[in-house]
Amino acid sequence: KAGVTQTPRYLIKTRGQQVTLSCSPISGHRSVSWYQQTPGQGLQFLFEYFSETQRNKGNFPGRFSGRQFSNSRSEMNVSTLELGDSALYLCASSFRRAGYDEQFFGPGTRLTVL
Amino acid sequence: AQKVTQAQTEISVVEKEDVTLDCVYETRDTTYYLFWYKQPPSGELVFLIRRNSFDEQNEISGRYSWNFQKSTSSFNFTITASQVVDSAVYFCALSEAGNAGNMLTFGGGTRLMVKP
């Protein structure tokens, strides 16, 4: 079974631009969550999608948004990029929408904002 | 609000030593789940173990063992006879049943370096 895939793996943008990251979950998984990892703030939850609906949202500004498609693939978008948005963005999928489900993580997209 | 603390930011050991990674959590939920993940240099988080709040049995899997104590809100992870391949960042995480979904709160991570 293929794992979680994320594209692109690396991205360089400049301040003020916007960016879209993509995540394809494991086949059959319907829950997709996004996390931001930075040296200063560590791993922080961004949002979770299940059946195309956002179910949980972390404490991030409205510049961070996402969506999920009918095939469970998900995208996250960051508008008006700031230097502090430089981070590793990790996507995770799980079969159910339950807190006890282990989440399977993708390799991440490393975003650098110049 | 939930919180996970990993007080050890970095640990260095020599191969074959035993090492324990500490994890302390805070939550108001009575039902919650604790996880450990490993992050090798490649960046991908690898699931190691899940434990629910009603199961305080310790668990052993090969060289890995976990000690869950609700009385001290701790979920510690021990690697016996460490190997160089164990070098990674290890994260402890908490998920509350009240969130009705998949939202992990992570600790700050412990970087383990195993030297040959």
Side-chain angles (χ1 to χ4, degrees):
Chain A
K1 211 179 212 185
V4 178
T5 58
Q6 292 187 245
T7 56
R9 293 292 312 279
Y10 302 90
L11 206 49
I12 300 175
K13 291 284 188 179
T14 56
R15 274 183 300 175
Q17 287 186 310
Q18 75 164 19
V19 67
T20 299
L21 313 181
S22 180
C23 171
S24 292
I26 291 172
S27 177
H29 285 193
R30 295 167 64 194
S31 169
V32 174
S33 300
W34 289 88
Y35 293 83
Q36 181 197 64
Q37 186 176 20
T38 60
Q41 299 299 316
L43 272 159
Q44 293 185 286
F45 172 79
L46 278 157
F47 29 65
E48 180 209 1
Y49 286 88
F50 185 85
S51 293
E52 302 179 62
T53 301
Q54 187 180 91
R55 296 294 187 176
N56 281 311
K57 190 176 192 306
N59 190 25
F60 278 82
R63 301 186 297 105
F64 292 81
S65 63
R67 59 178 175 168
Q68 186 180 35
F69 303 95
S70 58
N71 61 358
S72 292
R73 190 177 71 86
S74 176
E75 288 181 348
M76 69 162 278
N77 184 277
V78 187
S79 62
T80 319
L81 284 166
E82 300 177 0
L83 294 179
D85 297 332
S86 294
L88 179 66
Y89 290 88
L90 292 162
C91 164
S93 78
S94 62
F95 178 60
R96 290 163 294 207
R97 215 193 129 241
Y100 51 81
D101 251 6
E102 65 262 36
Q103 295 185 51
F104 295 87
F105 284 80
T109 293
R110 187 164 295 281
L111 171 65
T112 301
V113 182
L114 302 176
Chain B
Q2 65 271 31
K3 185 179 177 182
V4 177
T5 302
Q6 295 178 254
Q8 307 148 306
T9 54
E10 202 166 288
I11 300 176
S12 180
V13 299
V14 176
E15 211 171 15
K16 296 189 180 142
E17 282 185 27
D18 298 347
V19 58
T20 295
L21 310 182
D22 297 333
C23 172
V24 174
Y25 62 91
E26 295 175 31
T27 177
R28 282 182 281 203
D29 268 20
T30 54
T31 302
Y32 53 89
Y33 310 94
L34 296 163
F35 301 80
W36 275 95
Y37 281 88
K38 173 182 180 180
Q39 187 176 43
S42 59
E44 188 169 333
L45 286 166
V46 177
F47 168 79
L48 294 177
I49 191 171
R50 171 191 55 228
R51 178 60 83 223
N52 73 54
S53 53
F54 298 109
D55 182 4
E56 282 194 75
Q57 268 194 323
N58 292 331
E59 179 150 342
I60 298 174
S61 175
R63 296 183 298 106
Y64 295 170
S65 63
W66 290 268
N67 179 256
F68 175 33
Q69 292 196 331
K70 281 179 78 170
S71 60
T72 56
S73 297
S74 65
F75 186 41
N76 297 335
F77 172 32
T78 297
I79 301 175
T80 303
S82 59
Q83 299 176 1
V84 173
V85 294
D86 296 326
S87 297
V89 182
Y90 291 85
F91 290 94
C92 179
L94 166 72
S95 173
E96 295 177 326
N99 284 327
N102 295 316
M103 187 182 100
L104 289 171
T105 297
F106 285 90
T110 298
R111 180 177 300 277
L112 174 64
M113 292 178 291
V114 182
K115 298 176 183 175

